[in-house]
């Protein structure tokens, strides 16, 4: 197993320098076969949250300045470790071809903005998909050796010619139909500006070219730049109000948001979450043609977990 410990999160400029180097046909860019992931875990043993970055994140997503870490924030911070793992380990897929399809985060208790925590990220759960292969990055946040937050980001690596001999594929993604508006919940139609990808990139450190400008997005097959999926998830949650102290938020990313755009959030009321059997569904849709951009659900945690 290849483990690496950092004193702090890697800086964006060094991370992207490593990414560029990995794309060049020089040096030792060893790959493993596509039937396995690297056995690697990367750690930041004492993670101090950058208060300026946290404030910027709250502003661009709409979270309240309440002294607590937003439920999606550690997913963003962990991307620095994820990107380094993909370029420093014998990673089997092309980074530029990955599609973020699902994200799940579980918060076991509110986390204070000035807490010092430990972060770890590992590869997990490589499986076949009808369009290629999927795998997970699992991020764990601990305080005094106790897990207080965990997140799973699922990525798809598309293959032009899927292996027809594979009999166990991931189940087809369900069709998402725009629901009726819940009068007790949240309903909002709002504009997503053309520059949100560039602005969010400077906050999140995710400078994927598909988010930055129409010209760079076209190089990867998109007619326009698209919004970051994790920005859209965070924006929805911020608009839904205060979340339970201990909960899981799962999201599937559907069709991309081409910038600029007008979108519609439809969400059930978070306040009706009373038992572990309850769920709060929400979705983000195109305001023009009702096509889905995001489908999510919030669930309470069992007190015994």
């Amino acid at each position: 197993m290849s483990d690496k410990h950092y004193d702090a999160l890697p800086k964006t400029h060094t991370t992207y320098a490593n990414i560029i180097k990995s794309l060049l046909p020089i040096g030792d860019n060893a790959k493993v076969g596509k039937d396995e992931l690297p056995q690697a875990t990367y750690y930041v043993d004492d993670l101090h949250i950058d208060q300026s970055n946290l404030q910027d994140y709250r502003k661009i997503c709409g979270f309240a300045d309440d002294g607590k870490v937003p439920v999606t924030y550690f997913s963003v911070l962990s991307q620095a470790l994820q990107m380094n793992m993909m370029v420093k380990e014998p990673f089997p897929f092309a980074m530029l071809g990955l599609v973020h399809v699902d994200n799940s985060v579980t918060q076991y208790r509110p986390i204070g903005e000035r807490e010092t925590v430990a972060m770890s990220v590992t590869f997990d759960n490589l499986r076949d998909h009808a369009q290629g292969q999927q795998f997970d990055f699992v991020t764990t946040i601990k305080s005094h050796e106790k897990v207080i937050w965990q997140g799973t980001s699922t990525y798809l690596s598309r293959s032009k010619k899927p292996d027809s001999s594979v009999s166990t594929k991931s189940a087809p993604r369900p069709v998402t139909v725009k629901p009726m508006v819940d009068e007790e919940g949240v309903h909002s139609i709002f504009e997503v500006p053309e520059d949100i990808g560039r602005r969010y990139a400077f906050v999140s450190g995710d400078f994927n070219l598909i988010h930055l400008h129409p010209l760079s997005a076209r190089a990867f097959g998109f007619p326009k730049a698209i919004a970051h999926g994790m920005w859209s998830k965070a924006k929805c949650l911020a608009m839904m109000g205060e979340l339970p102290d201990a909960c899981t938020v799962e999201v599937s990313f559907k069709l991309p948001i081409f910038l600029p755009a007008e979108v519609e959030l439809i969400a059930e009321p978070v306040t009706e979450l009373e038992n572990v059997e309850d769920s709060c569904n929400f979705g983000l849709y195109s305001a023009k043609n009702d096509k889905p951009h995001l489908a999510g659900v919030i669930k309470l945690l069992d007190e015994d977990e």
Side-chain angles (χ1 to χ4, degrees):
M1 175 174 285
S2 175
D3 293 346
K4 185 173 179 62
H5 292 259
Y6 289 87
D7 295 329
L9 286 172
K11 298 297 183 182
T12 299
H13 67 276
T14 57
T15 296
Y16 275 86
N18 287 328
I19 291 174
I20 293 171
K21 181 180 177 182
S22 74
L23 299 175
L24 299 176
I26 59 175
D28 181 16
N29 293 326
K31 299 287 184 182
V32 294
K34 292 190 176 183
D35 59 346
E36 62 178 313
L37 290 168
Q39 297 295 306
T41 303
Y42 281 25
Y43 301 84
V44 178
D45 298 313
D46 294 297
L47 176 61
H48 304 274
I49 294 173
D50 183 323
Q51 298 301 304
S52 176
N53 180 262
L54 176 58
Q55 283 292 80
D56 290 341
Y57 180 77
R58 286 174 174 144
K59 290 177 182 177
I60 199 168
C61 297
F63 286 110
D65 185 0
D66 57 2
K68 295 182 287 188
V69 178
V71 68
T72 49
Y73 189 56
F74 287 118
S75 285
V76 175
L77 294 187
S78 71
Q79 289 180 332
L81 292 182
Q82 293 177 26
M83 289 187 287
N84 275 273
M85 292 170 74
M86 287 187 282
V87 298
K88 293 184 178 180
E89 300 298 324
F91 182 63
F93 306 116
M95 287 183 60
L96 297 180
L98 296 179
V99 181
H100 194 182
V101 293
D102 296 296
N103 177 266
S104 174
V105 300
T106 297
Q107 177 177 280
Y108 293 91
R109 65 160 176 82
I111 303 171
E113 64 185 11
R114 297 190 182 277
E115 287 191 46
T116 298
V117 297
M119 172 184 284
S120 65
V121 180
T122 190
F123 293 105
D124 194 30
N125 195 20
L126 177 67
R127 66 268 195 198
D128 292 299
H129 184 274
Q131 295 180 324
Q133 289 175 284
Q134 287 186 340
F135 71 95
D136 298 333
F137 274 115
V138 178
T139 301
T140 302
I141 303 296
K142 292 183 179 181
S143 176
H144 304 291
E145 298 301 320
K146 185 175 182 179
V147 176
I148 58 175
W149 186 98
Q150 194 160 45
T152 300
S153 291
T154 300
Y155 290 89
L156 167 67
S157 175
R158 288 196 177 105
S159 298
K160 293 182 179 180
K161 295 181 180 179
D163 185 356
S164 59
S165 66
V166 178
S167 58
T168 55
K169 304 280 189 182
S170 296
R173 294 168 72 81
V175 176
T176 302
V177 179
K178 180 180 174 182
M180 298 294 290
V181 173
D182 188 326
E183 294 183 357
E184 300 297 322
V186 176
H187 179 226
S188 178
I189 297 175
F190 60 97
E191 300 288 336
V192 183
E194 186 276 335
D195 66 346
I196 193 66
R198 294 188 292 276
R199 290 164 50 204
Y200 185 76
F202 281 102
V203 174
S204 66
D206 182 354
F207 285 89
N208 189 323
L209 296 175
I210 63 175
H211 302 302
L212 303 185
H213 193 275
L215 292 178
S216 58
R218 286 185 197 123
F220 296 94
F222 295 97
K224 297 180 180 179
I226 65 175
H228 293 74
M230 286 306 298
W231 174 84
S232 63
K233 177 178 182 176
K235 183 67 174 178
C236 290
L237 295 175
M239 296 178 72
M240 292 170 65
E242 187 171 358
L243 301 182
D245 287 346
C247 64
T248 293
V249 185
E250 300 172 352
V251 155
S252 291
F253 300 114
K254 305 295 184 178
L255 299 174
I257 300 174
F258 293 113
L259 302 172
E262 185 177 47
V263 296
E264 181 177 10
L265 169 64
I266 300 176
E268 295 175 341
V270 177
T271 54
E272 292 189 0
L273 286 173
E274 298 178 351
N275 305 300
V276 294
E277 296 84 8
D278 298 334
S279 62
C280 171
N281 294 287
F282 62 98
L284 193 64
Y285 307 86
S286 167
K288 295 182 179 180
N289 56 28
D290 296 345
K291 290 183 177 180
H293 296 303
L294 172 156
V297 62
I298 304 172
K299 300 177 182 178
L300 294 177
L301 290 187
D302 190 322
E303 293 182 357
D304 295 332
E305 290 191 45

